[in-house]
PDB file of all heavy atoms in Angstrom:
ATOM      1  N   VAL A 883     122.771  78.588 115.145  1.00 95.00           N
ATOM      2  CA  VAL A 883     121.810  78.420 114.048  1.00 95.00           C
ATOM      3  C   VAL A 883     122.174  77.248 113.154  1.00 95.00           C
ATOM      4  O   VAL A 883     121.321  76.466 112.763  1.00 95.00           O
ATOM      5  CB  VAL A 883     121.638  79.676 113.178  1.00 95.00           C
ATOM      6  CG1 VAL A 883     120.612  80.590 113.776  1.00 95.00           C
ATOM      7  CG2 VAL A 883     122.930  80.369 112.913  1.00 95.00           C
ATOM      8  N   LEU A 884     123.453  77.124 112.845  1.00 94.00           N
ATOM      9  CA  LEU A 884     123.858  76.004 111.983  1.00 94.00           C
ATOM     10  C   LEU A 884     123.511  74.675 112.646  1.00 94.00           C
ATOM     11  O   LEU A 884     123.075  73.734 112.001  1.00 94.00           O
ATOM     12  CB  LEU A 884     125.361  76.046 111.706  1.00 94.00           C
ATOM     13  CG  LEU A 884     125.866  77.139 110.783  1.00 94.00           C
ATOM     14  CD1 LEU A 884     127.358  76.995 110.573  1.00 94.00           C
ATOM     15  CD2 LEU A 884     125.145  77.096 109.449  1.00 94.00           C
ATOM     16  N   ARG A 885     123.698  74.623 113.956  1.00 92.00           N
ATOM     17  CA  ARG A 885     123.450  73.401 114.679  1.00 92.00           C
ATOM     18  C   ARG A 885     121.972  73.022 114.642  1.00 92.00           C
ATOM     19  O   ARG A 885     121.613  71.856 114.687  1.00 92.00           O
ATOM     20  CB  ARG A 885     123.882  73.573 116.114  1.00 92.00           C
ATOM     21  CG  ARG A 885     124.325  72.272 116.668  1.00 92.00           C
ATOM     22  CD  ARG A 885     124.902  72.420 118.036  1.00 92.00           C
ATOM     23  NE  ARG A 885     124.877  71.119 118.665  1.00 92.00           N
ATOM     24  CZ  ARG A 885     123.770  70.460 118.902  1.00 92.00           C
ATOM     25  NH1 ARG A 885     122.621  70.989 118.593  1.00 92.00           N
ATOM     26  NH2 ARG A 885     123.801  69.270 119.439  1.00 92.00           N
ATOM     27  N   ALA A 886     121.126  74.025 114.579  1.00 93.00           N
ATOM     28  CA  ALA A 886     119.692  73.745 114.516  1.00 93.00           C
ATOM     29  C   ALA A 886     119.239  73.539 113.074  1.00 93.00           C
ATOM     30  O   ALA A 886     118.044  73.502 112.802  1.00 93.00           O
ATOM     31  CB  ALA A 886     118.901  74.877 115.165  1.00 93.00           C
ATOM     32  N   GLY A 887     120.180  73.442 112.154  1.00 91.00           N
ATOM     33  CA  GLY A 887     119.818  73.133 110.775  1.00 91.00           C
ATOM     34  C   GLY A 887     119.346  74.320 109.964  1.00 91.00           C
ATOM     35  O   GLY A 887     118.755  74.145 108.913  1.00 91.00           O
ATOM     36  N   VAL A 888     119.586  75.542 110.440  1.00 91.00           N
ATOM     37  CA  VAL A 888     119.246  76.711 109.642  1.00 91.00           C
ATOM     38  C   VAL A 888     120.511  77.169 108.945  1.00 91.00           C
ATOM     39  O   VAL A 888     121.525  77.396 109.593  1.00 91.00           O
ATOM     40  CB  VAL A 888     118.739  77.886 110.494  1.00 91.00           C
ATOM     41  CG1 VAL A 888     118.156  78.965 109.621  1.00 91.00           C
ATOM     42  CG2 VAL A 888     117.741  77.406 111.509  1.00 91.00           C
ATOM     43  N   PHE A 889     120.442  77.306 107.640  1.00 89.00           N
ATOM     44  CA  PHE A 889     121.623  77.734 106.925  1.00 89.00           C
ATOM     45  C   PHE A 889     121.619  79.249 106.845  1.00 89.00           C
ATOM     46  O   PHE A 889     121.410  79.828 105.800  1.00 89.00           O
ATOM     47  CB  PHE A 889     121.670  77.091 105.551  1.00 89.00           C
ATOM     48  CG  PHE A 889     123.009  77.244 104.912  1.00 89.00           C
ATOM     49  CD1 PHE A 889     123.260  76.712 103.681  1.00 89.00           C
ATOM     50  CD2 PHE A 889     124.022  77.915 105.558  1.00 89.00           C
ATOM     51  CE1 PHE A 889     124.487  76.857 103.089  1.00 89.00           C
ATOM     52  CE2 PHE A 889     125.250  78.065 104.989  1.00 89.00           C
ATOM     53  CZ  PHE A 889     125.483  77.532 103.745  1.00 89.00           C
ATOM     54  N   SER A 890     121.837  79.869 107.997  1.00 92.00           N
ATOM     55  CA  SER A 890     121.770  81.321 108.062  1.00 92.00           C
ATOM     56  C   SER A 890     123.159  81.932 108.062  1.00 92.00           C
ATOM     57  O   SER A 890     124.078  81.431 108.701  1.00 92.00           O
ATOM     58  CB  SER A 890     121.056  81.750 109.338  1.00 92.00           C
ATOM     59  OG  SER A 890     121.394  83.080 109.657  1.00 92.00           O
ATOM     60  N   LEU A 891     123.307  83.015 107.328  1.00 93.00           N
ATOM     61  CA  LEU A 891     124.556  83.776 107.349  1.00 93.00           C
ATOM     62  C   LEU A 891     124.293  85.152 107.942  1.00 93.00           C
ATOM     63  O   LEU A 891     124.999  86.109 107.695  1.00 93.00           O
ATOM     64  CB  LEU A 891     125.118  83.899 105.927  1.00 93.00           C
ATOM     65  CG  LEU A 891     125.351  82.565 105.212  1.00 93.00           C
ATOM     66  CD1 LEU A 891     125.751  82.783 103.775  1.00 93.00           C
ATOM     67  CD2 LEU A 891     126.416  81.764 105.933  1.00 93.00           C
ATOM     68  N   ALA A 892     123.209  85.247 108.743  1.00 95.00           N
ATOM     69  CA  ALA A 892     122.744  86.545 109.210  1.00 95.00           C
ATOM     70  C   ALA A 892     123.551  87.098 110.371  1.00 95.00           C
ATOM     71  O   ALA A 892     123.361  88.255 110.746  1.00 95.00           O
ATOM     72  CB  ALA A 892     121.269  86.461 109.614  1.00 95.00           C
ATOM     73  N   THR A 893     124.439  86.305 110.946  1.00 96.00           N
ATOM     74  CA  THR A 893     125.135  86.728 112.167  1.00 96.00           C
ATOM     75  C   THR A 893     125.761  88.115 112.040  1.00 96.00           C
ATOM     76  O   THR A 893     125.693  88.919 112.971  1.00 96.00           O
ATOM     77  CB  THR A 893     126.225  85.705 112.533  1.00 96.00           C
ATOM     78  OG1 THR A 893     125.639  84.406 112.505  1.00 96.00           O
ATOM     79  CG2 THR A 893     126.787  85.970 113.902  1.00 96.00           C
TER      80      THR A 893
END
Side-chain angles (χ1 to χ4, degrees):
Chain A
V883 274
L884 288 182
R885 210 174 161 298
V888 191
F889 193 179
S890 159
L891 304 173
T893 310

